[in-house]
């Protein structure tokens, strides 16, 4: 594998979606390219410069633009015995620009997700047969499951579905199995392989991380929280609609406002994006103690129902979310003593999916 291929792999496995309108510009000269890997290769070969953690830089074209007009905080590093210049990722300005771009990317995916959920499309080609489908992209994935048992995960947890489908189509058009990656001699053999091997699914591969919303919560890779909903099979629409109560159980209310979301994943993204609140704050505060984390979430929900801020413990007369955002620190300076308060183990919201999300988190020792 040459260096350009390595840069290509890094870009492909990052959680960024780049299109034909994106341009990657050298931060030292006038060179630019529509191919990110070529730009990175140019920086290394012509300017002896490499980026650290390139996979985790959000919105790379905008990041490059920033350092084209600002003096980059350069340091020297050694890679495989060779010295290179790089940007100091502990520099305050670099941290701030990455945070800002991360926030911008979160806002972009929320808009994209809503469009894929609500805007209907005409004549979407099926991945596996000549049929076409009319409807939203979420409905399209449900249709693929009903028709061909193709299951990439729940549509509500996915984003950039058109890009995902196009990527899979390119694989299939080249007689490549979308699960194991083996190339078959022709389409007929490929269809037989997919059916007999039950490979109508996508593998656990970093290249697909960009299509799952939860992976956008953290700047430096996947969050600790896992949503086991992704591993469950999608059920046909008619079965899902038989029991309305089952559908309602998955709905998750925000801790800071009245917004309700279809899955815990969407709720976590919303809280991070709109309220700058991460569930990791609770885990860190209570040192990953599962039961105390559950108690504290129920404590927050109870105070919210009483219009009392859980940060300052003062009554909130106006908008709760606005009051919360006025706090620089998003957790109370002195944590409430929830240990042993067994009444706080009783969910304030019956079958609260947020508690289930924590329960499924493997960082807790049960």
């Amino acid at each position: 594998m040459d260096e350009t291929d390595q840069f290509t792999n890094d870009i492909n496995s990052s959680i960024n979606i780049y299109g034909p309108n994106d341009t990657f510009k050298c931060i030292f000269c006038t060179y630019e390219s529509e191919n990110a890997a070529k730009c990175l290769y140019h920086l290394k070969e012509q300017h002896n410069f490499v980026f650290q953690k390139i996979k985790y830089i959000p919105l790379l074209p905008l990041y490059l633009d920033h350092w084209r007009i600002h003096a980059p905080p350069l340091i020297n590093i050694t890679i495989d015995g060779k010295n290179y210049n790089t940007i100091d990722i502990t520099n305050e300005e670099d941290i701030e620009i990455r945070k800002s771009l991360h926030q911008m990317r979160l806002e972009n995916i929320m808009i994209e997700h809503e469009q894929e959920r609500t805007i209907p499309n005409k004549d979407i080609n099926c991945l596996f047969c000549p049929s076409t489908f009319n409807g939203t992209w979420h409905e399209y994935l449900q249709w693929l499951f009903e028709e061909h048992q193709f299951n990439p995960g729940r549509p509500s947890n996915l984003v950039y579905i058109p890009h995902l489908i196009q990527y899979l189509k390119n694989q299939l058009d080249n007689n490549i199995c979308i699960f194991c990656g083996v190339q078959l001699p022709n389409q007929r053999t490929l269809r037989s392989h997919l059916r007999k091997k039950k490979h109508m699914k996508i593998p656990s591969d970093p290249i697909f991380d960009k299509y799952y919303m939860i992976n956008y919560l953290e700047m430096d890779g996947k969050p600790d929280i896992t949503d086991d909903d992704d591993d469950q099979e999608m059920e046909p629409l008619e079965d899902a609609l038989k029991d309305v109560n089952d559908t309602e159980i998955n709905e998750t209310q925000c801790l800071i406002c009245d917004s309700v979301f279809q899955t815990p994943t969407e709720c976590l993204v919303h809280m991070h994006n709109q309220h700058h609140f991460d569930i990791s704050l609770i885990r860190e505060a209570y040192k990953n103690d599962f039961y105390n984390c559950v108690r504290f979430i129920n404590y927050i929900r109870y105070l919210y129902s009483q219009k009392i801020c859980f940060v300052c413990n003062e009554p909130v007369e106006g908008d709760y979310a606005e009051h919360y955002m006025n706090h620089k620190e998003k957790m109370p300076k002195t944590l409430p003593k929830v240990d042993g308060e067994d009444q706080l183990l009783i969910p304030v919201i019956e079958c609260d999916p947020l508690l289930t999300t924590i329960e499924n988190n493997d960082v807790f020792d049960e």
Side-chain angles (χ1 to χ4, degrees):
M1 178 186 297
D2 62 30
E3 288 185 299
T4 305
D5 289 338
Q6 181 58 56
F7 285 130
T8 299
N9 288 341
D10 289 341
I11 294 298
N12 287 341
S13 60
S14 71
I15 55 170
N16 289 295
I17 299 289
Y18 299 123
N21 295 326
D22 287 307
T23 302
F24 304 87
K25 300 177 181 179
C26 176
I27 64 175
F28 299 112
C29 70
T30 58
Y31 176 86
E32 62 182 57
S33 174
E34 294 179 356
N35 185 304
K38 289 183 178 180
C39 182
L40 297 176
Y41 181 76
H42 163 86
L43 283 164
K44 184 176 182 180
E45 292 300 307
Q46 299 300 318
H47 303 287
N48 199 45
F49 177 91
V50 295
F51 284 110
Q52 300 181 74
K53 297 185 177 181
I54 185 66
K55 290 169 57 175
Y56 305 123
I57 297 178
L59 305 179
L60 182 58
L62 296 181
Y63 182 78
L64 293 172
D65 286 345
H66 176 85
W67 291 122
R68 279 175 60 84
I69 60 177
H70 297 83
L74 298 179
I75 59 172
N76 189 263
I77 60 172
T78 301
I79 302 176
D80 296 331
K82 297 181 180 179
N83 293 326
Y84 296 97
N85 291 319
T86 188
I87 290 177
D88 181 4
I89 59 176
T90 65
N91 176 269
E92 185 174 339
E93 184 179 0
D94 188 66
I95 292 173
E96 286 304 312
I97 186 61
R98 290 188 188 225
K99 284 184 177 179
S100 176
L101 293 175
H102 172 65
Q103 185 69 20
M104 186 183 301
R105 183 173 63 185
L106 269 178
E107 294 170 358
N108 290 343
I109 70 160
M110 291 299 290
I111 293 172
E112 177 70 21
H113 181 267
E114 183 64 12
Q115 291 175 343
E116 292 172 9
R117 186 181 70 85
T118 60
I119 298 178
N121 299 272
K122 290 185 177 181
D123 298 327
I124 307 175
N125 291 322
C126 179
L127 273 176
F128 306 106
C129 73
S131 301
T132 59
F133 178 81
N134 295 328
T136 68
W137 283 105
H138 283 203
E139 293 167 343
Y140 172 74
L141 288 184
Q142 183 65 50
W143 175 74
L144 281 181
F145 177 74
E146 293 171 353
E147 294 295 321
H148 301 286
Q149 288 71 56
F150 172 68
N151 182 18
R154 293 194 177 184
S156 57
N157 293 340
L158 294 166
V159 70
Y160 298 121
I161 297 172
H163 191 278
L164 169 63
I165 295 302
Q166 185 59 52
Y167 175 82
L168 296 176
K169 183 180 184 302
N170 291 341
Q171 296 290 94
L172 294 171
D173 287 348
N174 287 288
N175 302 327
I176 297 173
C177 174
I178 57 178
F179 181 74
C180 68
V182 66
Q183 187 166 24
L184 285 303
N186 52 54
Q187 285 287 303
R188 183 177 180 180
T189 308
L190 173 64
R191 305 299 174 188
S192 176
H193 169 89
L194 290 169
R195 184 175 62 257
K196 291 180 179 180
K197 297 289 186 179
K198 296 183 179 180
H199 282 185
M200 305 287 271
K201 54 188 177 181
I202 58 178
S204 177
D205 188 303
I207 200 170
F208 294 105
D209 286 350
K210 61 175 69 72
Y211 303 115
Y212 293 91
M213 290 184 65
I214 197 169
N215 292 327
Y216 288 89
L217 287 175
E218 306 291 342
M219 285 196 300
D220 292 334
K222 293 183 179 180
D224 291 330
I225 299 168
T226 59
D227 187 352
D228 284 354
D229 286 349
D230 286 341
D231 297 328
Q232 298 176 5
E233 291 188 356
M234 295 165 60
E235 57 184 347
L237 283 176
E238 59 269 22
D239 291 345
L241 294 173
K242 285 180 181 178
D243 191 345
V244 176
N245 291 330
D246 286 345
T247 302
E248 292 177 347
I249 287 175
N250 291 323
E251 293 184 344
T252 309
Q253 181 176 328
C254 175
L255 291 172
I256 315 298
C257 69
D258 291 331
S259 299
V260 177
F261 299 88
Q262 292 182 356
T263 67
T265 298
E266 292 179 80
C267 184
L268 292 172
V269 172
H270 161 81
M271 288 194 293
H272 181 104
N273 191 25
Q274 297 298 322
H275 308 304
H276 302 168
F277 179 85
D278 288 314
I279 209 78
S280 61
L281 296 174
I282 298 177
R283 296 202 311 273
E284 292 169 3
Y286 287 99
K287 303 185 186 305
N288 287 339
D289 184 294
F290 166 67
Y291 291 106
N292 281 341
C293 288
V294 168
R295 290 184 178 104
F296 188 67
I297 286 178
N298 286 325
Y299 171 79
I300 294 176
R301 290 215 186 275
Y302 172 74
L303 291 187
Y304 181 80
S305 70
Q306 303 299 309
K307 296 285 285 185
I308 298 174
C309 175
F310 73 90
V311 176
C312 63
N313 211 35
E314 295 291 332
V316 179
E317 295 183 0
D319 184 81
Y320 191 98
E322 184 177 337
H323 172 93
Y324 175 78
M325 289 300 291
N326 287 331
H327 287 295
K328 183 177 180 180
E329 299 297 329
K330 302 307 179 186
M331 288 283 286
K333 291 182 179 179
T334 302
L335 292 173
K337 295 181 179 179
V338 298
D339 191 26
E341 298 291 336
D342 289 344
Q343 69 270 23
L344 288 176
L345 292 175
I346 302 173
V348 175
I349 296 177
E350 186 177 0
C351 300
D352 189 345
L354 205 56
L355 302 180
T356 304
T357 299
I358 290 182
E359 187 176 17
N360 289 334
N361 191 342
D362 59 12
V363 301
F364 295 107
D365 294 323
E366 300 188 40

